[in-house]
Structure formats: C-alpha cells, structure tokens
Amino acid sequence: MNQLSTEVNMLNRQISMLDAYRQLNGAFNFEADGSVAAGSKAITDEKKKMLNEAYIFSSPRLTPSGAILNRDYFEQKIGSITTVAELVADPRIADYVRTAFGLPTTTVSATIENILTSDINDPNSYVNKFGGEYNKAYKALHAAFNFQPDGTLPAGAKAQTAEQTNTTTSGYMVHYNDADDAEDEGKISRYKLLIKTMSNVDSLVGNSELRSFVLSAFGLENEDLTPRKLKQILTSDLNNPTSYANSLRDERYIKLVKAFNFNADGTLGSPKLAQNEADIVNTAKAYIVEKSRFGTEDEKKTAKAKAEGESKYYTTQIQKIETLDDFLKDKRLVDIVLIGAGIDPEGVKTDYLKQMFTSDLNDRKSFINTDPNGLKYREIVSAFNFDKDGKIVTGEAGQIQTRRGLTMTFDLYLNQTLEESEGEDNAGVRLALYFKRKAPEITTPYDLLADNALMQVVRTAYSMPEGLASAKIEMQAAYIERLMDIKDLQDPEELEKLLKRFTALYDVENNTDVNPGLAILTGGSGGGISADALFSLAQLRAGGR
C-alpha cells in the first residue's frame, strides 16, 4: 500500500511539473529553432503581466508587490460591481474586503453579504446584532459600501464613493500582512517560552524547533548545520583564534556565539553585575576596534595602544557599578560604550541616555522604540542588566541567553524576514538591506572584497569594470580606495546616498520596473531606497513583541 501511495504521489508531481512546462511554453512565442517570428515579441505585454503576477504570488508570504496588485485589481473592479452577489462571487474581491476590515480569514461570503445588506437603522439587523468582538468591524464594512437591503444599488449610485474606496484600500494596506506578523509573533513567543526551559547546549541543539528559529535568525538556515556542528560552534571560545567558530571565518557564527551564554563544556554561564562577562569583553573590544580602524598604520597603532588602556579601565570599573546612575555618572565608561557602538558621545545627554536605558525593549510605545535613533541603542541597552528602575537584574542567572542575546536573536530574525520578503520583489532591495546591516563592520576594502554580496553593491554603485574582478586583490583594494572613502560608510547620510545610487543603477542594469513595495516604503518616489525607512519596519515589529 505504501509503495502504491509513493508511486501515486510521484505521478502527481510529474503531472504537475508537466502542466508547469506547458504553461511556461505557452507564455512565450519562440519558434522550434528558438527564434521569434518577424514582427512578434518573445512575450506579449499581457502574458508578461500574467507571468509577473504568477511570480509575485508564488512567494510563501504576500509581499508589498502582491498587496499592490490586489489593490489595483480591487480598484479596477469595484466600479463595475452593481450587486452584493457580484462582489462576494469574486473570491479575490471578497478576500480583499475581509482583510481590509480586519475580519477573520474564516469569515465566509454569506457573512459579508449579510453585513452589506443589513438595515443599519434596524436594531435587529444582522450588522447590529452579530459579530461579537468584530461588531465594530462589521459596521465599518457596512459603512464602506452603498448596497440596499436587497443587495442592489440605489439608482445612479456606485458600490463605493472615492472616499469609501480610499478607506477600504487604506485598511487593506495596513492589514494585508497581519497573518505573517501574527505568525512571527507566535514564533517569538514560543521561542521565549521554550528557551527558558533549556538547561545546557545539548537541550538547545536537540530541539528542532528552537534550532530552526535560531538558524533562521542568524541567516544560517541553508548551511546544513548538524546538531553536532552547532554544538561545536556554540561552545567555541571566541578569545581563541583557533576555536571552531573562529576557524569558520564567518561573522554570522561569531554573532551566534555571542548571543548565547554557554561555557566550553556546554553548561550555562551566569550574568556578572551590570554586564555579563562576555558583554564586558565585547564592549571593550568594540571600543578598541572603533578607535583604531582608520588612519595610517602608525596612527592606528598609537590609537590602539591608547584605546587598550581605556578598555582596561572599563573592564575593571564596570564590575564595580551597582546602579544605572553610577554608570551614567562615569563619563569615561559611557563614552567607551557609545564610541564602541559607533555613536559620537558629543551631544548625547545623560537624561536622553537614561530614557533609553529605562525603556521597555518589548513595548513598541516605549521611548527606545519610538525615538528615531532608538534602533542604534537597542543593542547597547540590551547588553546591560539594568531594569526600568536602574537596578541590576539578577533573575537571568542560569538562563541559556542573556537579555542582549535574546534581543539580538529576535531583531535578527525579524530583519532576516524583512530582507527575504523584500528580496522576493527585488533582489536589489535585499542587497541594499544587507549592505546597510553590514556597513558598521566594514573598515577596509578587503572587508568588501571578502563578501560577494557587498561587492555587488559597490560594483553596481560605482559602475566598476567587469575585468577588474580578475585582477590581483591588492589592485582591486587600491581601486576601491580611489572610488570611495571607507569612513563614509559610518556616516548615515553618506551611506544613504550610496544605497540610493546602487538601487537606481541596479534597476537600470536589470530592467527592473519600479518596485511597488519600495514605492510604499519611500513614499512613492520610486527613485532609489530609503534604507532607514526599510529598517524602521524591523524596529517597529521588534518593538511590538
């Protein structure tokens, strides 16, 4: 019986593939010899549109482009609809309306019909008596259309006025990805619950659900990591250059190790005072790197020696800190933290920092999640163990992740999801998002040359000659230094200019039409990309946990 079932499934797949081949063949106008008949196009505009829509809707998630296509379909159709029956008979329209007013996906067409044909003045009508928690949505849906109780329209009236259509469309563009957001929230909540039950590295790597979430968050889901390899990575000593994680020479693995709290034997570490030991070391290292990343070799050497002296002060003094106020009073400590995070301490006031540190990272309305610069401070704040009253939190002892590790994992997961979602519409957008995320780590031309995705952005933005890729690495590095000042990548305005130039040229080189998802995020400009706007989505979603 099992063999028969397997053969049937195989046959069904073959039939499905054959149908796909036939559809692909029918979409184009090629002759048997591969040529196109004189006066014909390889593909008609109509079939090109159909193929484009098929590609967009093949994504596991509804992307901004898909939402725009649904919006256009609705706005083109609604003017010709004259009865409620016509409206609910079109599943795409019915689903659009259901989504626009936040109704459950289980809401059937008959319910929509009952709502739209209700007499709003009759207290016993369907829209006034039913709906429960969705009654407000029922009434909003009813008010957005002009149907009479018999399902027809009054003489001379249309199904919607321009204002009603605008209300419906606005609702749809707000709610179209609610299901995906809810799925992400569910995964994050589930992760929070399960991670607290883990007692050692084996319990983490042995749980397929947690392992999958973690690998997705750090962009490692396609690396074919077995539980044994993952354990080797998570228990690596990052201070040992020959440790397994360091030997992989991939920043993703370094971030992964930093996000967890394992000792070398796989047991759990414990927080230390205002900062965990690992975070103290990371902060000190980040400061040294930031202070010695630019200049001549002699200048770098001098700056590094001075920075190392400051880092020793930090590692000693931070362990004596007992409250947030103690920390904020020590300007040397504060400056080291800010500089290590790439923030100029000049102009950063103590009260502003205190608001950041006492914010709730999980509340989207808190100061850190609403301030325009809040995203920069999330990693700083999460690296400390202060609570909302500025006292040291001790409740994390024995937990598998520190607060910083949890925050990093969630933020990376949401950013990764955003990059993948936007990448479904336009690979250029995904490359720009990736470049934006990696920019703080770029200190030399060799950092760019070591990453093909980063170099694709640079090659496109500066129209680098293709032949240069085969030149000696030193020659390529020198060429990049002539093209750009690496320091500019740490300047938000200069980085924004680079990404705008890249996306504009990428679209030209790849014959990409204006990305409708990008148009939403940039206010419909279509001319480039606002990377900060794209990343603000991740900030808002991260703040909504």
Side-chain angles (χ1 to χ4, degrees), residues 218-360:
F218 289 85
L220 298 166
E221 66 272 27
N222 297 319
E223 296 301 319
D224 194 28
L225 290 175
T226 63
R228 181 175 174 275
K229 285 184 180 179
L230 185 57
K231 179 179 177 179
Q232 284 183 278
I233 294 166
L234 290 170
T235 55
S236 292
D237 179 2
L238 295 183
N239 293 319
N240 180 357
T242 62
S243 68
Y244 187 64
N246 283 325
S247 71
L248 296 173
R249 301 187 182 281
D250 189 323
E251 187 62 28
R252 293 175 298 171
Y253 297 112
I254 306 303
K255 287 184 176 180
L256 175 62
V257 177
K258 289 179 179 179
F260 286 85
N261 199 28
F262 293 116
N263 294 318
D265 62 358
T267 58
L268 301 185
S270 59
K272 302 291 193 298
L273 302 174
Q275 271 189 309
N276 305 320
E277 185 176 349
D279 285 328
I280 292 175
V281 173
N282 290 336
T283 301
K285 282 186 175 179
Y287 174 76
I288 295 172
V289 170
E290 193 66 29
K291 293 295 287 186
S292 59
R293 66 191 304 183
F294 299 115
T296 64
E297 289 306 313
D298 287 341
E299 289 172 339
K300 289 180 181 179
K301 188 175 181 180
T302 301
K304 183 177 181 180
K306 185 176 180 180
E308 285 174 344
E310 282 296 277
S311 71
K312 289 179 181 177
Y313 172 83
Y314 183 86
T315 55
T316 300
Q317 293 301 121
I318 196 64
Q319 297 181 59
K320 301 176 183 179
I321 296 297
E322 297 183 359
T323 68
L324 175 60
D325 286 335
D326 291 340
F327 169 69
L328 295 176
K329 286 176 185 175
D330 191 325
K331 192 173 188 309
R332 284 177 74 181
L333 292 180
V334 172
D335 285 0
I336 288 170
V337 171
L338 292 176
I339 291 172
I343 298 173
D344 185 353
E346 292 298 322
V348 180
K349 296 182 179 179
T350 300
D351 288 344
Y352 179 80
L353 275 178
K354 190 166 187 176
Q355 284 182 281
M356 288 293 183
F357 272 97
T358 55
S359 291
D360 184 350

Side-chain angles (χ1 to χ4, degrees), residues 531-542:
D532 285 335
L534 287 170
F535 266 81
S536 70
L537 291 181
Q539 180 185 5
L540 288 171
R541 294 176 70 191

Side-chain angles (χ1 to χ4, degrees), residues 251 255 286 289-291 293-294 339-343 375-376 379 432-444 447-448 454 486-492 495 499 532 535:
E251 187 62 28
K255 287 184 176 180
V289 170
E290 193 66 29
K291 293 295 287 186
R293 66 191 304 183
F294 299 115
I339 291 172
I343 298 173
L375 196 59
K376 297 179 182 178
E379 188 168 353
L433 285 166
Y434 177 75
F435 195 97
K436 167 78 174 183
R437 176 159 57 87
K438 300 291 287 186
E441 304 166 16
I442 301 170
T443 60
T444 71
D447 293 329
L448 294 170
L454 297 180
I486 298 295
K487 288 183 180 180
D488 286 345
L489 298 181
Q490 313 311 314
D491 184 331
L495 180 59
L499 295 182
D532 285 335
F535 266 81

Side-chain angles (χ1 to χ4, degrees), residues 150-221:
D150 65 356
T152 63
L153 293 170
K158 291 187 175 182
Q160 286 188 315
T161 63
E163 184 178 352
Q164 288 171 320
T165 298
N166 184 58
T167 297
T168 305
T169 291
S170 296
Y172 179 79
M173 298 310 295
V174 168
H175 293 297
Y176 80 87
N177 57 354
D178 281 359
D180 291 332
D181 287 346
E183 181 182 348
D184 288 339
E185 292 294 336
K187 287 181 179 179
I188 289 173
S189 296
R190 176 76 174 162
Y191 182 85
K192 284 182 177 180
L193 180 66
L194 290 177
I195 200 67
K196 292 178 181 179
T197 67
M198 300 295 105
S199 57
N200 52 48
V201 70
D202 289 320
S203 59
L204 171 65
V205 301
N207 186 301
S208 59
E209 184 178 353
L210 287 179
R211 191 170 66 246
S212 176
F213 185 95
V214 168
L215 293 179
S216 293
F218 289 85
L220 298 166
E221 66 272 27

Side-chain angles (χ1 to χ4, degrees), residues 7-181:
E7 291 177 353
V8 169
N9 289 334
M10 185 179 296
L11 180 60
N12 286 334
R13 285 196 296 270
Q14 291 174 343
I15 292 173
S16 177
M17 187 175 293
L18 183 59
D19 287 340
Y21 286 157
R22 285 171 176 165
Q23 291 177 31
L24 180 61
N25 176 269
F28 292 89
N29 299 320
F30 293 115
E31 301 289 342
D33 62 356
S35 63
V36 177
S40 297
K41 294 181 178 180
I43 185 171
T44 64
D45 291 341
E46 182 180 356
K47 287 184 178 178
K48 180 181 178 182
K49 179 182 177 183
M50 290 173 61
L51 196 62
N52 182 55
E53 290 192 9
Y55 172 76
I56 289 174
F57 287 126
S58 68
S59 171
R61 294 187 172 204
L62 181 62
T63 66
S65 287
I68 292 291
L69 290 174
N70 284 337
R71 181 203 66 184
D72 292 346
Y73 180 84
F74 176 81
E75 293 184 351
Q76 290 167 7
K77 291 284 185 178
I78 194 62
S80 62
I81 288 178
T82 59
T83 68
V84 172
E86 289 178 34
L87 187 147
V88 298
D90 187 326
R92 193 170 174 183
I93 293 290
D95 185 62
Y96 187 93
V97 168
R98 188 184 298 114
T99 301
F101 292 93
L103 298 180
T105 55
T106 53
T107 303
V108 297
S109 296
T111 299
I112 296 175
E113 188 167 2
N114 285 332
I115 293 170
L116 295 178
T117 57
S118 290
D119 182 352
I120 196 66
N121 298 314
D122 181 358
N124 294 315
S125 65
Y126 189 91
V127 76
N128 287 322
K129 289 190 65 176
F130 298 100
E133 63 177 300
Y134 294 103
N135 184 256
K136 186 176 180 180
Y138 280 17
K139 291 178 179 178
L141 171 56
H142 179 275
F145 290 87
N146 302 314
F147 295 110
Q148 301 178 115
D150 65 356
T152 63
L153 293 170
K158 291 187 175 182
Q160 286 188 315
T161 63
E163 184 178 352
Q164 288 171 320
T165 298
N166 184 58
T167 297
T168 305
T169 291
S170 296
Y172 179 79
M173 298 310 295
V174 168
H175 293 297
Y176 80 87
N177 57 354
D178 281 359
D180 291 332
D181 287 346

